[in-house]
Amino acid sequence: MYSPAAVNRPARFPPATIFQNPRETKSIKFLHALSESSSCSSNSTLTTSSTSKIEFQHRVRSSSILLRKLRVSSDDAQPTASFSEDEASEPSFLEFITSERVKVVAMVALALALCNADRVVMSVAIVPMSQSRGWSQAFAGVVQSSFLWGYLVSPIAGGTLVDYYGGKIVMACGVALWSMATFLTPWAAENSLWALLSMRALLGVAEGVALPCMNNMIARWFPQTERSRAVGLAMAGFQLGSAIGLTLSPILMSQGGVGGPFIIFGLSGLLWVLVWVSATSSTPERSPQITKYELEYIQSKRKKVEMKTGKIIPPFRRLLSKLPTWSLIVANSMHSWGFFVILSWMPIYFKTIYHVDLRQAAWFSAVPWSMMALVGYFAGVFSDKLIQSGMTVTLTRKIMQSIGFVGPGIALIGLIMAKSPVAASAWLTLAVGLKSFSHCGFLVNLQEIAPQYSGVLHGMSNTAGTLAAILGTVGAGFFVELVGSFQGFLLLTALLYFSAALFWNIFSTGERVNFDEGN
């Protein structure tokens, strides 16, 4: 027999901890009464019906959950117990999309959109600039590549600063600096060639901290079961920045001259900094806007060791001594190689092979990158669902990265064999869209193998990726001159994709790696 006295008050909520807030007393007494009433009514039938027994247990459990939620949601009550990892249920889509952590990642996504828009404006403005100043194509390439000079040197130093000072302050400084460089670019172009090159290099230096800051903020604000979709949201902003920059720049230039888009995007970045500094916090614990329910949910899902502050001088030697680090470096390098080869050479490829007039094909600039943003978010949701269903983090990251490399490799082979520009553009869009699965592979994996060094790891792999981007972009031109075939270089890129996927699947891991051994 079940005794009502044995179940009319859950043991995990003793009176001393429940009634800390006097304003809750009436509501909690009502819930206890409801629990006792349910107990008594159920007790009379438990001996005759197993169904009633299940219903009785469900009512008692529901009462306990209601008591817990009431206690946490009160404005005055201090939480005396937090969710355990088993207790914390996954939030609904509405709860997730309206949470404080999604507001933070939305601001990060907007920053990354400005980052990429500021980067690609020169791709549009370089044509009228070259015509008015008599620049050759080779020299125009030097002006465009000046961005990469700065971007090559800053990610490691910026990633180290992010690990030590946190993502909020470093991101604010980075956006302010690159927005100022963008705003001053028209002035620099009118006054001195060296000033123009310096502004573009400064843009690269400042933007080198953007992705490490993104990783840092997501690692602090999101539990592991939500990080893939958070990265998907942030990187959707990054990819949409390309589409926004390439489509809005001609419109702004027609209204405000060559300097129009530089001024508008620069001022937008400075406005973003004001909102970021005043409306966000570096960690959930410091946020005045976050609810106690959301804070306890994040804390219950987050491992305490993940919030350890990195050293100002990271152990570079030990970081490079581990094969999971090299799997990240190889993955980032291949991702950047493919990204910049497609961004830089596909317009010329379509014009040379299919004789497409790109001035009448503005969709070419927007559709592939918009597809990458859209697919990237759904890839993140799919990745998180795999982990929530019980699949290991390691296997999930390997699946995502395999799709992100093998998929584009196959699509590039399809692009080579396409007989019409429509079919070729479809294969190109597929290749760019599938690349976004990499964001749920190596890009999230940075936070998992070494949370305290995620910034510097991102910086190291990003520097390798920038070198690969330069090599791929420049190498494509030399390859075409020597071999006389664009298709051959695309086939080489596809083979490199397959090789990088194999390296990743052999040496990557989703588990934490000890980089502090010997200390």
Side-chain angles (χ1 to χ4, degrees):
M1 292 291 292
Y2 289 87
S3 170
V7 293
N8 63 3
R9 179 177 293 138
R12 53 190 291 190
F13 293 106
T17 60
I18 293 179
F19 299 117
Q20 288 186 352
N21 187 343
R23 293 189 301 177
E24 297 177 4
T25 303
K26 292 183 179 180
S27 299
I28 296 178
K29 283 182 177 179
F30 169 77
L31 290 174
H32 274 301
L34 176 64
S35 176
E36 291 171 359
S37 175
S38 300
S39 302
C40 293
S41 61
S42 299
N43 187 51
S44 62
T45 59
L46 282 173
T47 57
T48 59
S49 173
S50 60
T51 303
S52 297
K53 175 181 177 181
I54 295 173
E55 183 180 356
F56 162 70
Q57 292 174 339
H58 176 72
R59 288 179 180 179
V60 174
R61 188 181 302 110
S62 299
S63 299
S64 299
I65 293 172
L66 287 170
L67 287 171
R68 181 185 67 192
K69 288 187 176 181
L70 180 61
R71 181 183 47 158
V72 173
S73 62
S74 172
D75 292 334
D76 295 333
Q78 296 298 321
T80 58
S82 60
F83 294 112
S84 69
E85 189 168 349
D86 294 333
E87 284 181 305
S89 59
E90 296 298 327
S92 67
F93 176 76
L94 182 61
E95 290 172 334
F96 173 76
I97 208 68
T98 58
S99 63
E100 188 65 25
R101 60 192 183 279
V102 169
K103 296 176 187 176
V104 171
V105 82
M107 285 295 295
V108 172
L110 184 56
L112 295 183
L114 289 169
C115 172
N116 231 15
D118 291 350
R119 184 183 304 183
V120 302
V121 167
M122 185 58 75
S123 300
V124 179
I126 195 66
V127 176
M129 279 188 177
S130 299
Q131 292 174 347
S132 64
R133 291 165 176 79
W135 293 343
S136 65
Q137 277 194 331
F139 189 78
V142 172
V143 173
Q144 291 208 74
S145 67
S146 58
F147 162 82
L148 292 173
W149 305 348
Y151 197 72
L152 184 64
V153 301
S154 65
I156 295 178
T160 303
L161 291 174
V162 168
D163 288 335
Y164 193 76
Y165 292 106
K168 178 182 177 179
I169 185 172
V170 178
M171 180 70 99
C173 293
V175 176
L177 192 59
W178 86 55
S179 298
M180 187 61 66
T182 301
F183 181 81
L184 294 176
T185 295
W187 169 85
E190 292 295 328
N191 285 273
S192 166
L193 176 61
W194 286 108
L196 175 60
L197 296 177
S198 297
M199 285 298 106
R200 295 300 294 174
L202 181 60
L203 175 73
V205 169
E207 289 195 354
V209 307
L211 293 180
C213 286
M214 179 270 291
N215 251 317
N216 180 276
M217 294 297 290
I218 289 178
R220 291 171 180 266
W221 274 89
F222 286 84
Q224 190 176 61
T225 54
E226 294 179 352
R227 286 181 186 170
S228 293
R229 78 187 78 174
V231 169
L233 285 170
M235 294 305 295
F238 188 76
Q239 307 307 335
L240 287 175
S242 296
I244 291 169
L246 291 170
T247 54
L248 285 186
S249 292
I251 300 173
L252 294 174
M253 281 171 33
S254 67
Q255 300 296 321
V258 176
F262 293 98
I263 293 173
I264 295 299
F265 288 138
L267 291 176
S268 299
L270 295 175
L271 177 62
W272 180 93
V273 172
L274 295 178
V275 178
W276 173 259
V277 171
S278 60
T280 62
S281 302
S282 57
T283 63
E285 290 79 6
R286 296 181 181 179
S287 173
Q289 292 90 7
I290 194 171
T291 65
K292 292 178 181 177
Y293 189 84
E294 182 181 0
L295 177 60
E296 285 202 351
Y297 170 75
I298 295 172
Q299 290 174 334
S300 70
K301 291 286 188 177
R302 187 178 65 192
K303 298 178 182 178
K304 293 182 179 180
V305 293
E306 289 187 0
M307 295 299 107
K308 180 181 175 182
T309 302
K311 301 176 182 179
I312 191 61
I313 301 179
F316 289 106
R317 189 172 182 177
R318 283 195 292 275
L319 290 173
L320 291 172
S321 68
K322 306 289 187 180
L323 285 172
T325 299
W326 285 101
S327 70
L328 290 171
I329 291 174
V330 170
N332 200 330
S333 299
M334 190 61 240
H335 183 74
S336 297
W337 173 294
F339 181 87
F340 281 97
V341 163
I342 291 174
L343 185 66
S344 303
W345 285 102
M346 283 301 96
I348 299 174
Y349 177 82
F350 271 71
K351 185 176 182 179
T352 303
I353 303 299
Y354 299 106
H355 309 291
V356 175
D357 185 357
L358 297 180
R359 291 174 299 179
Q360 300 175 1
W363 57 268
F364 181 87
S365 299
V367 171
W369 309 113
S370 299
M371 178 62 70
M372 191 174 190
L374 181 64
V375 174
Y377 172 73
F378 287 105
V381 174
F382 176 56
S383 176
D384 286 339
K385 292 295 183 184
L386 290 179
I387 295 175
Q388 292 168 13
S389 67
M391 182 175 290
T392 65
V393 176
T394 298
L395 181 56
T396 301
R397 300 300 170 230
K398 290 184 177 183
I399 291 174
M400 295 295 106
Q401 193 61 60
S402 295
I403 298 174
F405 278 173
V406 176
I410 295 174
L412 287 180
I413 295 175
L415 173 62
I416 295 170
M417 301 174 64
K419 302 299 182 182
S420 68
V422 174
S425 63
W427 281 112
L428 176 64
T429 301
L430 181 63
V432 173
L434 291 176
K435 272 178 63 65
S436 62
F437 277 81
S438 290
H439 301 157
C440 306
F442 82 90
L443 201 53
V444 182
N445 191 239
L446 289 159
Q447 306 163 13
E448 294 164 341
I449 69 169
Q452 75 276 32
Y453 298 124
S454 63
V456 69
L457 274 176
H458 200 151
M460 292 165 61
S461 63
N462 222 26
T463 297
T466 304
L467 287 172
I470 296 173
L471 181 61
T473 305
V474 175
F478 282 104
F479 186 95
V480 172
E481 285 186 7
L482 291 174
V483 181
S485 170
F486 270 113
Q487 287 91 337
F489 188 78
L490 293 179
L491 180 60
L492 173 63
T493 300
L495 294 176
L496 290 175
Y497 267 128
F498 299 147
S499 301
L502 180 62
F503 191 92
W504 173 267
N505 279 289
I506 294 174
F507 296 114
S508 67
T509 179
E511 302 301 321
R512 183 179 174 86
V513 178
N514 182 16
F515 290 109
D516 292 319
E517 57 188 4
N519 285 355

